[in-house]
Each structure stands twice: as structure tokens, then as C-alpha cells.
Amino acid sequence: MIEQIYAKFMYLIDKLNSYAFLQSFFDNRFFLILLVIVLLHLKNATYRSMFMCALINIPGTFLHELMHFVVGLFLNARPCNFTLIPRRGEHGGYVMGSVGFTNITFYNAVPSSLAPLLLLPIGFYVNRYLLPEIEPTFTNYILYVLLQTIIIENAMPSSADFRVAKMYFSGVILYALLAVVLFTML
């Protein structure tokens, strides 16, 4: 009985890892979009429980908060705490993590608060250079989509991040002018 179940499972795994199936699966964007939506739906289903929500979100929250911490450290915003312990926010939602700073000024408020956007080039690098290097199996593809979903979803600054960025209008103007100069030089 157990041998038959094992044999059927291995047959299914062989079929999933067959070249024809993998080629059709990898080349079809419909399956990619479907997989991302399923992953996000499963993630959203965990929001009823603080424990499950925290468990599912820890990898992405870590990356998001790490970007705040590193940029804040580099630009002398003086990070003073780094937490991944979820808590209820002021408006009833969950705050999954946070980084506090003791020296937010006009020159470091915008980059420190929008630092998670730096995850987007990391996701691009993973897609461009690491994906071609991994063995093309169904499991690896699922893990790749999961990793990219975590990276890209957590690259988006939160509303609290935007509030901090807007605190120093002179900093917003400074970085807007810098962006215009950079784009005109390209």
C-alpha cells in the first residue's frame, strides 16, 4: 500500500519535472500570474491570526526593515531600534516591524524612509542572473516565484514610510531636483 502511494507520488513528480511540462509552465505567464495570486491569497488568509500573519510575513518584513536600517545607518539617521515583533497599530491593523531613528533630518528622511525600494534592483538581479543558474524543476520554479513575490511586495514603502518622507519638504525638493538632474543626464 505505502509502496503504491510512493510510486504514484514519484510518477507525479517525474511528470511535473518533465521537460515538456516545465517548458510550457515556465513560458506561460498565465501560470506565473495564477501562482502569484494564489500565494497572495494564502498569505491574506493568515491575517485573521497575529501568529500566522507574523510567521508568513517575517522574511519580507526582515528585508523591508533591513533596508531602512542600512540606509539610515549609511546616511547618519542613527537607527536606534529594529524590531520584527508584530503589534496592533493605531488604526487596528498590524505593524509587522519597525526601525526607529534618532537623527532624521532633511537630507536623510526621504532615502531612509523609501529605502525598501532598493529591494527592486535585488529582485531584478535574482531574475536576470540567478534564475538562469538554477536547475529548471517545478519545485525550484515555485520557490523562485515565492522569493520574488516576497522581495517585490516588501519593496513597497508603507504609508508610515511616506509620512516620514514628507516630514521634511526641503528634503523632498532636494531629492526631486536630484532625480530631475539624473534623468536629464541619461
Side-chain angles (χ1 to χ4, degrees):
M1 174 76 172
I2 293 176
E3 292 171 0
Q4 289 175 334
I5 293 172
Y6 178 75
K8 287 181 181 182
F9 178 74
M10 292 311 292
Y11 176 76
L12 178 63
I13 295 297
D14 286 342
K15 282 292 191 186
L16 288 176
N17 287 327
S18 72
Y19 180 78
F21 176 78
L22 289 173
Q23 192 67 32
S24 68
F25 195 81
F26 287 2
D27 291 342
N28 192 333
R29 288 191 178 94
F30 172 79
F31 291 125
L32 173 66
I33 294 167
L34 178 65
L35 184 57
V36 169
I37 290 171
V38 167
L39 287 171
L40 290 175
H41 181 71
L42 291 173
K43 180 181 175 192
N44 288 338
T46 66
Y47 286 155
R48 290 183 199 100
S49 162
M50 173 79 91
F51 174 75
M52 286 303 294
C53 184
L55 186 65
I56 296 296
N57 285 295
I58 280 179
T61 302
F62 175 75
L63 291 173
H64 182 97
E65 301 305 336
L66 182 65
M67 293 295 106
H68 286 304
F69 188 87
V70 168
V71 171
L73 192 63
F74 182 71
L75 294 176
N76 195 31
R78 295 190 196 130
C80 61
N81 66 8
F82 183 104
T83 182
L84 297 175
I85 299 171
R87 64 183 191 284
R88 280 273 188 200
E90 296 172 5
H91 304 291
Y94 296 132
V95 176
M96 299 311 298
S98 64
V99 175
F101 299 102
T102 60
N103 189 36
I104 291 290
T105 63
F106 79 95
Y107 69 88
N108 63 20
V110 172
S112 294
S113 60
L114 301 182
L117 290 171
L118 292 174
L119 289 170
L120 292 174
I122 293 170
F124 179 80
Y125 177 84
V126 166
N127 185 64
R128 172 62 88 41
Y129 300 106
L130 295 182
L131 179 62
E133 299 298 321
I134 64 173
E135 182 183 352
T137 66
F138 186 72
T139 304
N140 285 347
Y141 187 72
I142 300 293
L143 292 175
Y144 160 77
V145 171
L146 179 63
L147 176 65
Q148 286 293 67
T149 304
I150 289 169
I151 289 172
I152 294 169
E153 181 184 17
N154 288 284
M156 302 303 125
S158 66
S159 57
D161 296 339
F162 283 113
R163 279 194 301 276
V164 172
K166 293 187 303 187
M167 282 175 35
Y168 292 92
F169 187 70
S170 57
V172 172
I173 298 297
L174 170 71
Y175 287 101
L177 288 174
L178 183 62
V180 167
V181 169
L182 288 173
F183 283 121
T184 57
M185 292 176 70
L186 298 175

